[in-house]
Amino acid sequence: MVYNYDPEKAKELLVEAGYPDGVDVGNLLCFPGSHFEKCAQVAQANMDAVGIHAENELVEEYTALTRARNQEFDMDMTGGSSSGDYDAFGEKVISTGVG
């Protein structure tokens, strides 16, 4: 499936979902100095453009990966493999709408 970049459609969907004034989805966990940091910046800007606010949280790589494995994040862009259980992952996807 191809998803086209359509900010206006995203804004419409936010209104339909009950977020006419946008929504704050928390922090986007990442470690600095990597291509993941750049990806997080792009993701943050794209979300912000449609009313989805996320704050990039930059922490040392080991800390970011440990927190990702322990499911201690709102959103995660570390490139690490989370070893948390599937139900915990599913809760993150459902609660943030990201996944």
Side-chain angles (χ1 to χ4, degrees):
M1 176 170 258
V2 174
Y3 295 97
N4 295 315
Y5 180 70
D6 189 344
E8 293 310 311
K9 180 66 174 177
K11 290 176 188 177
E12 289 175 25
L13 292 172
L14 278 174
V15 171
E16 284 180 32
Y19 300 102
D21 299 320
V23 62
D24 188 325
V25 293
N27 290 347
L28 177 53
L29 181 63
C30 189
F31 51 90
S34 68
H35 67 277
F36 298 115
E37 179 180 9
K38 291 180 183 181
C39 291
Q41 291 168 350
V42 170
Q44 179 191 36
N46 285 343
M47 289 187 296
D48 214 38
V50 299
I52 302 171
H53 180 72
E55 194 69 39
N56 286 347
E57 180 182 2
L58 301 175
V59 297
E60 186 269 329
E61 182 176 359
Y62 176 81
T63 301
L65 294 174
T66 299
R67 285 182 50 197
R69 286 187 195 101
N70 291 330
Q71 303 291 307
E72 298 170 355
F73 60 92
D74 297 316
M75 292 188 301
D76 172 30
M77 193 166 296
T78 60
S81 175
S82 175
S83 62
D85 66 52
Y86 182 79
D87 289 335
F89 175 75
E91 288 176 16
K92 292 293 182 188
V93 171
I94 291 167
S95 67
T96 63
V98 176

